[in-house]
Coordinates of all heavy atoms in Angstrom, one line a residue:
M9 N -1.1 -42.5 14.6 CA 0.3 -42.3 14.8 C 0.9 -43.2 15.8 O 0.3 -43.2 16.9 CB 0.8 -40.9 15.0 CG 2.3 -40.7 15.0 SD 2.7 -38.9 15.1 CE 2.0 -38.3 13.6
N10 N 2.1 -44.0 15.7 CA 2.6 -44.7 16.7 C 3.8 -44.1 17.4 O 4.6 -43.4 16.6 CB 2.8 -46.1 16.3 CG 1.5 -46.9 15.9 OD1 0.5 -46.8 16.5 ND2 1.7 -47.8 14.9
C11 N 4.0 -44.4 18.6 CA 5.2 -43.9 19.3 C 6.5 -44.4 18.7 O 6.6 -45.6 18.4 CB 5.2 -44.4 20.6 SG 6.6 -43.9 21.7
Y12 N 7.5 -43.5 18.4 CA 8.7 -43.9 17.8 C 9.6 -44.7 18.7 O 10.7 -45.3 18.4 CB 9.5 -42.8 17.1 CG 9.9 -41.6 18.0 CD1 11.1 -41.7 18.7 CD2 9.0 -40.6 18.5 CE1 11.5 -40.8 19.7 CE2 9.3 -39.7 19.3 CZ 10.5 -39.7 20.0 OH 11.0 -38.8 20.9
K13 N 9.2 -44.7 20.1 CA 10.1 -45.3 21.0 C 9.6 -46.8 21.2 O 10.3 -47.7 21.3 CB 10.1 -44.6 22.3 CG 11.3 -43.5 22.3 CD 11.5 -43.1 23.8 CE 12.9 -42.3 23.8 NZ 13.2 -41.8 25.1
C14 N 8.3 -46.9 21.6 CA 7.7 -48.1 22.1 C 6.7 -48.8 21.1 O 6.2 -49.9 21.2 CB 7.2 -48.1 23.4 SG 5.6 -47.1 23.6
G15 N 6.3 -48.0 20.1 CA 5.3 -48.5 19.1 C 3.8 -48.4 19.6 O 3.0 -48.8 18.8
T16 N 3.6 -48.0 20.7 CA 2.2 -47.9 21.2 C 1.6 -46.6 20.4 O 2.2 -45.7 20.0 CB 2.1 -47.5 22.7 OG1 2.9 -48.6 23.4 CG2 0.6 -47.5 23.2
K17 N 0.1 -46.8 20.3 CA -0.7 -45.7 19.6 C -0.5 -44.4 20.4 O -0.7 -44.5 21.6 CB -2.0 -46.2 19.4 CG -3.0 -45.4 18.4 CD -4.2 -46.3 18.2 CE -5.0 -45.7 17.1 NZ -5.4 -44.3 17.4
M18 N -0.3 -43.4 19.6 CA -0.3 -42.1 20.3 C -1.6 -41.3 20.2 O -2.3 -41.5 19.3 CB 0.7 -41.2 19.7 CG 2.2 -41.8 19.9 SD 3.4 -40.7 19.1 CE 4.2 -40.1 20.5
E19 N -1.9 -40.5 21.3 CA -3.2 -39.7 21.3 C -2.8 -38.3 21.0 O -1.8 -37.8 21.5 CB -3.8 -39.9 22.7 CG -4.5 -41.2 22.9 CD -5.1 -41.2 24.2 OE1 -4.8 -40.4 25.1 OE2 -6.1 -42.1 24.3
Y20 N -3.7 -37.7 20.3 CA -3.4 -36.1 20.1 C -4.1 -35.4 21.2 O -5.4 -35.5 21.4 CB -4.1 -35.8 18.7 CG -3.6 -34.5 18.2 CD1 -2.2 -34.5 17.9 CD2 -4.4 -33.5 17.8 CE1 -1.7 -33.3 17.3 CE2 -3.8 -32.3 17.2 CZ -2.5 -32.3 16.9 OH -2.0 -31.1 16.5
I21 N -3.3 -34.7 22.0 CA -4.0 -34.1 23.1 C -3.3 -32.6 23.2 O -2.4 -32.3 22.5 CB -3.5 -34.7 24.4 CG1 -1.9 -34.8 24.6 CG2 -4.1 -36.2 24.6 CD1 -1.5 -35.0 25.9
N22 N -3.9 -31.8 24.1 CA -3.4 -30.6 24.5 C -2.6 -30.6 25.8 O -3.2 -31.1 26.8 CB -4.6 -29.5 24.5 CG -5.2 -29.2 23.2 OD1 -4.5 -29.3 22.2 ND2 -6.2 -28.8 23.1
T23 N -1.5 -30.0 25.9 CA -0.8 -30.1 27.1 C 0.0 -28.9 27.2 O 0.0 -28.1 26.4 CB 0.1 -31.4 27.1 OG1 0.7 -31.6 28.5 CG2 1.3 -31.3 26.2
D24 N 0.5 -28.7 28.5 CA 1.5 -27.5 28.8 C 2.9 -28.1 28.8 O 3.2 -28.9 29.6 CB 1.1 -26.9 30.2 CG -0.4 -26.7 30.3 OD1 -1.0 -26.4 29.3 OD2 -0.8 -26.6 31.5
L25 N 3.8 -27.4 28.0 CA 5.2 -27.8 27.9 C 6.1 -26.6 28.1 O 5.9 -25.5 27.6 CB 5.5 -28.4 26.6 CG 4.9 -29.8 26.2 CD1 5.3 -30.2 24.8 CD2 5.4 -30.8 27.2
P26 N 7.2 -26.8 28.9 CA 8.2 -25.9 29.1 C 9.3 -25.8 28.0 O 9.7 -26.9 27.6 CB 8.8 -26.1 30.4 CG 8.7 -27.7 30.5 CD 7.5 -28.0 29.7
F27 N 9.6 -24.7 27.5 CA 10.7 -24.6 26.6 C 11.8 -23.7 27.1 O 11.6 -22.5 27.6 CB 10.3 -24.0 25.2 CG 9.3 -24.9 24.5 CD1 7.9 -24.8 24.8 CD2 9.7 -25.8 23.6 CE1 7.1 -25.7 24.2 CE2 8.9 -26.5 22.9 CZ 7.5 -26.6 23.1
K28 N 13.0 -24.1 27.2 CA 14.2 -23.4 27.6 C 14.8 -22.5 26.5 O 15.1 -23.0 25.5 CB 15.3 -24.2 28.2 CG 16.3 -23.6 29.0 CD 17.1 -24.6 29.8 CE 18.2 -24.0 30.6 NZ 18.8 -24.8 31.5
I29 N 14.7 -21.2 26.6 CA 15.2 -20.3 25.4 C 16.6 -19.7 25.8 O 17.3 -19.4 24.9 CB 14.2 -19.3 25.1 CG1 13.7 -18.3 26.3 CG2 13.0 -20.0 24.4 CD1 12.9 -17.2 25.7
Q30 N 16.9 -19.6 27.0 CA 18.1 -19.0 27.5 C 18.6 -19.8 28.6 O 17.8 -20.5 29.2 CB 18.1 -17.5 27.7 CG 17.7 -16.6 26.7 CD 18.8 -16.3 25.7 OE1 19.9 -16.2 26.1 NE2 18.4 -16.0 24.5
T31 N 19.8 -19.5 29.0 CA 20.3 -20.3 30.3 C 19.3 -20.1 31.5 O 19.0 -21.1 32.2 CB 21.6 -19.8 30.7 OG1 22.5 -19.6 29.6 CG2 22.4 -20.7 31.6
N32 N 18.8 -18.9 31.7 CA 18.0 -18.6 32.8 C 16.5 -18.3 32.4 O 15.9 -17.7 33.2 CB 18.6 -17.5 33.7 CG 19.9 -17.8 34.3 OD1 20.0 -18.9 34.9 ND2 20.9 -17.0 34.0
S33 N 16.1 -18.7 31.3 CA 14.8 -18.2 30.8 C 14.0 -19.4 30.2 O 14.5 -20.3 29.4 CB 15.0 -17.2 29.8 OG 13.8 -16.7 29.4
I34 N 12.8 -19.6 30.9 CA 12.0 -20.7 30.4 C 10.6 -20.2 30.0 O 10.0 -19.2 30.7 CB 11.8 -21.8 31.7 CG1 13.2 -22.5 31.8 CG2 10.6 -22.7 31.4 CD1 13.1 -23.5 32.9
V35 N 10.1 -20.7 28.9 CA 8.7 -20.3 28.5 C 7.8 -21.5 28.6 O 8.2 -22.7 28.2 CB 8.8 -19.8 27.0 CG1 7.4 -19.5 26.6 CG2 9.6 -18.6 26.9
I36 N 6.8 -21.4 29.3 CA 5.7 -22.5 29.3 C 4.6 -22.2 28.4 O 4.0 -21.0 28.4 CB 5.2 -22.6 30.7 CG1 6.4 -23.1 31.7 CG2 4.0 -23.7 30.8 CD1 6.0 -22.9 33.2
I37 N 4.4 -23.0 27.5 CA 3.4 -22.8 26.5 C 2.1 -23.8 26.8 O 2.3 -25.0 26.9 CB 3.8 -23.1 25.1 CG1 4.9 -22.2 24.7 CG2 2.6 -22.9 24.1 CD1 5.4 -22.2 23.3
K38 N 1.1 -23.1 27.1 CA -0.1 -23.9 27.6 C -1.0 -24.4 26.4 O -1.1 -23.7 25.4 CB -1.0 -23.1 28.6 CG -0.1 -22.5 29.7 CD -1.1 -22.1 30.8 CE -1.6 -23.2 31.6 NZ -2.2 -22.8 32.9
K39 N -1.7 -25.4 26.5 CA -2.7 -26.0 25.7 C -2.1 -26.2 24.3 O -2.6 -25.9 23.3 CB -3.9 -25.0 25.4 CG -4.6 -24.9 26.7 CD -5.9 -24.1 26.5 CE -6.7 -23.8 27.8 NZ -7.1 -22.6 28.0
L40 N -0.8 -26.6 24.3 CA 0.0 -27.0 23.1 C -0.5 -28.5 22.6 O -0.6 -29.4 23.3 CB 1.4 -27.0 23.4 CG 2.5 -27.2 22.2 CD1 2.4 -25.8 21.4 CD2 3.8 -27.3 22.8
P41 N -0.9 -28.4 21.3 CA -1.5 -29.7 20.7 C -0.2 -30.6 20.4 O 0.7 -30.2 19.6 CB -2.1 -29.3 19.4 CG -1.7 -28.0 19.1 CD -1.2 -27.3 20.4
V42 N -0.1 -31.8 20.9 CA 0.9 -32.8 20.7 C 0.4 -34.1 20.6 O -0.7 -34.5 21.1 CB 2.0 -32.7 21.9 CG1 2.7 -31.2 22.0 CG2 1.5 -33.2 23.2
W43 N 1.2 -35.0 20.0 CA 1.0 -36.4 20.0 C 1.7 -37.0 21.2 O 3.0 -36.7 21.3 CB 1.5 -37.1 18.8 CG 0.7 -36.9 17.5 CD1 1.0 -35.9 16.6 CD2 -0.4 -37.5 17.1 NE1 0.1 -35.9 15.6 CE2 -0.8 -36.8 16.0 CE3 -1.2 -38.5 17.7 CZ2 -2.0 -37.3 15.2 CZ3 -2.4 -38.9 16.9 CH2 -2.7 -38.3 15.7
Q44 N 0.9 -37.7 22.2 CA 1.6 -38.2 23.3 C 1.2 -39.7 23.4 O 0.2 -40.1 23.3 CB 1.0 -37.5 24.5 CG 1.8 -38.0 25.9 CD 1.6 -37.1 27.1 OE1 0.6 -36.7 27.4 NE2 2.8 -36.8 27.6
C45 N 2.3 -40.5 23.7 CA 2.2 -41.9 24.0 C 1.5 -42.2 25.3 O 1.9 -41.8 26.3 CB 3.6 -42.5 23.9 SG 3.6 -44.3 24.2
V46 N 0.5 -43.1 25.3 CA -0.3 -43.3 26.5 C 0.6 -44.4 27.3 O 0.5 -44.7 28.5 CB -1.5 -44.0 26.2 CG1 -2.5 -43.0 25.6 CG2 -1.5 -45.3 25.3
N47 N 1.6 -45.0 26.7 CA 2.4 -46.0 27.3 C 3.6 -45.4 28.2 O 3.9 -45.5 29.2 CB 2.9 -47.1 26.5 CG 3.6 -48.2 27.1 OD1 3.3 -48.7 28.1 ND2 4.9 -48.5 26.5
C48 N 4.5 -44.6 27.3 CA 5.8 -44.1 27.9 C 5.8 -42.5 28.0 O 6.8 -42.0 28.5 CB 7.0 -44.7 27.1 SG 7.1 -43.9 25.5
N49 N 4.7 -41.9 27.7 CA 4.7 -40.5 27.8 C 5.5 -39.7 26.9 O 5.8 -38.4 27.1 CB 4.7 -40.1 29.3 CG 3.6 -40.4 30.1 OD1 2.5 -40.4 29.7 ND2 3.7 -40.6 31.4
E50 N 6.3 -40.3 26.0 CA 7.0 -39.6 25.0 C 6.0 -38.8 24.1 O 5.0 -39.2 23.9 CB 7.7 -40.7 24.0 CG 8.8 -40.1 23.2 CD 10.0 -39.7 24.1 OE1 10.3 -40.2 25.0 OE2 10.5 -38.7 23.5
Y51 N 6.6 -37.6 23.8 CA 5.6 -36.8 22.9 C 6.2 -36.2 21.5 O 7.5 -36.3 21.5 CB 5.0 -35.5 23.7 CG 6.1 -34.7 24.2 CD1 6.5 -33.6 23.5 CD2 6.6 -34.8 25.4 CE1 7.5 -32.7 23.8 CE2 7.5 -33.9 25.9 CZ 7.9 -32.9 25.1 OH 8.9 -32.0 25.5
L52 N 5.3 -36.0 20.7 CA 5.9 -35.6 19.4 C 5.2 -34.3 19.0 O 4.0 -34.2 19.1 CB 5.5 -36.6 18.4 CG 6.3 -36.7 17.1 CD1 7.7 -37.2 17.3 CD2 5.5 -37.6 16.1
I53 N 5.9 -33.2 18.6 CA 5.2 -32.1 18.2 C 5.3 -32.0 16.6 O 6.3 -32.1 16.0 CB 6.0 -30.8 18.7 CG1 5.9 -30.9 20.2 CG2 5.2 -29.5 18.3 CD1 6.7 -29.9 21.0
E54 N 4.1 -31.7 15.9 CA 4.1 -31.6 14.6 C 4.8 -30.4 14.0 O 4.9 -29.4 14.7 CB 2.5 -31.5 14.1 CG 1.8 -32.9 14.2 CD 0.5 -32.8 13.7 OE1 -0.1 -31.6 13.7 OE2 -0.2 -33.9 13.4
D55 N 5.4 -30.5 12.8 CA 6.2 -29.4 12.2 C 5.4 -28.1 12.2 O 6.0 -27.1 12.5 CB 6.5 -29.8 10.8 CG 7.6 -30.8 10.7 OD1 8.2 -31.2 11.7 OD2 7.8 -31.4 9.6
G56 N 4.1 -28.0 11.8 CA 3.4 -26.9 11.9 C 3.2 -26.2 13.2 O 3.2 -24.9 13.3
V57 N 3.0 -27.1 14.2 CA 2.9 -26.6 15.6 C 4.3 -26.1 16.0 O 4.4 -25.0 16.7 CB 2.4 -27.7 16.6 CG1 2.4 -27.3 18.0 CG2 1.0 -28.2 16.1
M58 N 5.3 -26.8 15.7 CA 6.6 -26.4 16.1 C 7.0 -25.0 15.5 O 7.7 -24.3 16.2 CB 7.7 -27.4 15.7 CG 9.0 -27.4 16.4 SD 8.8 -27.7 18.2 CE 9.9 -26.5 18.9
K59 N 6.6 -24.7 14.3 CA 6.9 -23.5 13.7 C 6.3 -22.3 14.4 O 6.8 -21.3 14.6 CB 6.4 -23.5 12.2 CG 6.9 -22.4 11.4 CD 6.6 -22.5 9.9 CE 7.2 -21.4 9.1 NZ 7.0 -20.1 9.7
K60 N 5.0 -22.6 14.8 CA 4.3 -21.5 15.6 C 5.0 -21.4 17.0 O 5.0 -20.2 17.4 CB 2.8 -21.8 15.8 CG 2.1 -20.7 16.4 CD 0.6 -20.9 16.4 CE -0.1 -19.7 17.2 NZ -1.6 -19.9 17.3
V61 N 5.4 -22.4 17.6 CA 6.2 -22.3 18.8 C 7.3 -21.5 18.7 O 7.7 -20.6 19.4 CB 6.6 -23.8 19.4 CG1 7.5 -23.7 20.5 CG2 5.3 -24.5 19.8
D62 N 8.2 -21.7 17.6 CA 9.3 -20.9 17.2 C 9.0 -19.4 17.2 O 9.8 -18.6 17.5 CB 10.0 -21.4 15.9 CG 10.7 -22.7 16.1 OD1 11.1 -23.2 17.3 OD2 11.1 -23.4 15.1
D63 N 7.9 -19.1 16.5 CA 7.4 -17.8 16.4 C 7.1 -17.1 17.7 O 7.6 -16.0 18.0 CB 6.2 -17.7 15.4 CG 6.6 -18.0 14.0 OD1 7.7 -18.0 13.6 OD2 5.6 -18.2 13.1
L64 N 6.5 -17.9 18.5 CA 6.2 -17.4 19.9 C 7.4 -17.1 20.6 O 7.5 -16.2 21.3 CB 5.3 -18.5 20.5 CG 3.9 -18.6 20.1 CD1 3.1 -19.8 20.8 CD2 3.0 -17.3 20.4
L65 N 8.3 -18.1 20.5 CA 9.6 -17.9 21.4 C 10.4 -16.8 20.9 O 11.2 -16.2 21.7 CB 10.3 -19.3 21.4 CG 9.7 -20.4 21.9 CD1 10.5 -21.7 21.9 CD2 9.2 -20.3 23.4
A66 N 10.4 -16.6 19.6 CA 11.2 -15.5 19.0 C 10.8 -14.1 19.6 O 11.5 -13.2 19.5 CB 11.1 -15.5 17.5
N67 N 9.5 -14.0 20.0 CA 9.0 -12.7 20.5 C 9.1 -12.5 22.0 O 8.6 -11.6 22.5 CB 7.6 -12.6 20.1 CG 7.4 -12.5 18.5 OD1 8.2 -11.8 17.9 ND2 6.3 -13.1 17.9
I68 N 9.8 -13.6 22.6 CA 9.9 -13.4 24.1 C 11.0 -12.5 24.5 O 12.1 -12.6 23.9 CB 10.1 -14.9 24.7 CG1 8.9 -15.8 24.4 CG2 10.4 -14.8 26.1 CD1 7.8 -15.4 25.2
D69 N 10.8 -11.7 25.5 CA 11.9 -11.0 26.1 C 12.8 -11.9 26.9 O 12.3 -12.4 28.0 CB 11.3 -9.9 27.0 CG 12.3 -9.0 27.7 OD1 13.5 -9.3 27.5 OD2 12.0 -8.0 28.4
S70 N 14.0 -12.2 26.5 CA 14.8 -13.2 27.2 C 15.3 -12.8 28.6 O 16.0 -13.6 29.2 CB 16.0 -13.6 26.2 OG 16.8 -12.5 25.9
K71 N 15.0 -11.6 29.0 CA 15.4 -11.2 30.3 C 14.4 -11.6 31.2 O 14.7 -11.8 32.5 CB 15.6 -9.7 30.5 CG 16.8 -9.2 29.7 CD 17.0 -7.7 29.9 CE 16.2 -6.8 29.2 NZ 16.4 -6.8 27.7
V72 N 13.3 -12.0 30.9 CA 12.3 -12.6 31.8 C 12.6 -14.1 32.1 O 12.9 -14.9 31.2 CB 10.8 -12.6 31.1 CG1 9.8 -13.2 32.0 CG2 10.5 -11.3 30.8
E73 N 12.6 -14.5 33.4 CA 13.0 -15.8 33.8 C 11.9 -16.8 33.4 O 12.2 -17.9 33.0 CB 13.2 -15.8 35.3 CG 14.5 -15.3 35.8 CD 14.8 -15.4 37.2 OE1 14.3 -16.3 37.8 OE2 15.6 -14.5 37.8
V74 N 10.7 -16.5 33.7 CA 9.6 -17.5 33.3 C 8.5 -16.7 32.7 O 8.1 -15.7 33.2 CB 9.2 -18.2 34.6 CG1 7.9 -19.1 34.2 CG2 10.2 -18.9 35.4
E75 N 8.0 -17.2 31.5 CA 6.9 -16.6 30.9 C 5.9 -17.7 30.5 O 6.3 -18.8 30.1 CB 7.5 -16.0 29.5 CG 6.5 -15.4 28.6 CD 6.3 -13.9 28.9 OE1 7.3 -13.2 29.3 OE2 5.1 -13.5 28.8
I76 N 4.7 -17.4 30.7 CA 3.7 -18.4 30.4 C 2.7 -17.8 29.3 O 2.3 -16.7 29.3 CB 2.8 -18.7 31.6 CG1 3.7 -19.2 32.7 CG2 1.7 -19.7 31.3 CD1 3.0 -19.5 34.0
L77 N 2.7 -18.7 28.1 CA 1.9 -18.3 27.1 C 0.9 -19.4 26.7 O 0.9 -20.4 27.2 CB 2.8 -18.2 25.8 CG 4.0 -17.2 25.8 CD1 4.7 -17.5 24.4 CD2 3.4 -15.8 25.7
S78 N -0.3 -19.0 26.0 CA -1.1 -19.8 25.5 C -1.0 -20.1 24.1 O -0.9 -19.1 23.4 CB -2.6 -19.3 25.9 OG -3.5 -20.3 25.4
Y79 N -0.9 -21.4 23.7 CA -0.6 -21.7 22.2 C -1.8 -21.0 21.4 O -1.5 -20.5 20.3 CB -0.6 -23.1 22.1 CG -0.5 -23.5 20.5 CD1 0.9 -23.4 20.0 CD2 -1.5 -24.0 19.8 CE1 1.1 -23.7 18.7 CE2 -1.4 -24.2 18.5 CZ -0.1 -24.1 17.9 OH 0.0 -24.5 16.6
A80 N -3.0 -21.1 21.9 CA -4.2 -20.8 21.0 C -4.4 -19.2 21.0 O -5.0 -18.7 20.2 CB -5.3 -21.3 21.7
A81 N -3.7 -18.5 21.8 CA -3.9 -17.0 21.9 C -3.4 -16.3 20.7 O -2.4 -16.8 20.1 CB -3.2 -16.5 23.1
Ligands
ZN22 ZN1 5.8 -44.9 23.8

């Protein structure tokens, strides 16, 4: 897969990414599998992975300011 911004080959890696779910609420998902560009650091999340992220975020108590989850859990 190539980067949609700069065209460089992307690598499939596990990384930690923050998702903002409410004005004051952020969820950090650890070990999330994403495609990342080695040149410009742009990343791409596959549809199947994004769906699981949506499921994880849907179960978060939005009163918590910061929540840390593991994708693989
Ligand atoms: Zn790139």
Side-chain angles (χ1 to χ4, degrees):
M9 183 172 300
N10 291 330
C11 176
Y12 61 93
K13 273 199 169 172
C14 73
T16 304
K17 198 168 187 297
M18 297 182 104
E19 286 186 339
Y20 202 56
I21 57 157
N22 288 333
T23 190
D24 305 338
L25 285 181
F27 292 86
K28 195 166 176 176
I29 57 170
Q30 299 277 333
T31 314
N32 295 312
S33 192
I34 287 176
V35 180
I36 296 167
I37 302 185
K38 304 193 82 169
K39 296 187 185 138
L40 190 67
V42 300
W43 289 97
Q44 185 163 50
C45 176
V46 292
N47 183 49
C48 70
N49 287 331
E50 193 64 36
Y51 62 86
L52 197 76
I53 302 174
E54 288 183 337
D55 288 348
V57 174
M58 199 61 221
K59 190 172 185 316
K60 186 168 175 188
V61 168
D62 283 342
D63 289 347
L64 288 171
L65 297 182
N67 291 322
I68 295 291
D69 179 354
S70 59
K71 289 191 284 295
V72 177
E73 281 186 29
V74 179
E75 179 87 35
I76 300 174
L77 297 176
S78 178
Y79 177 79

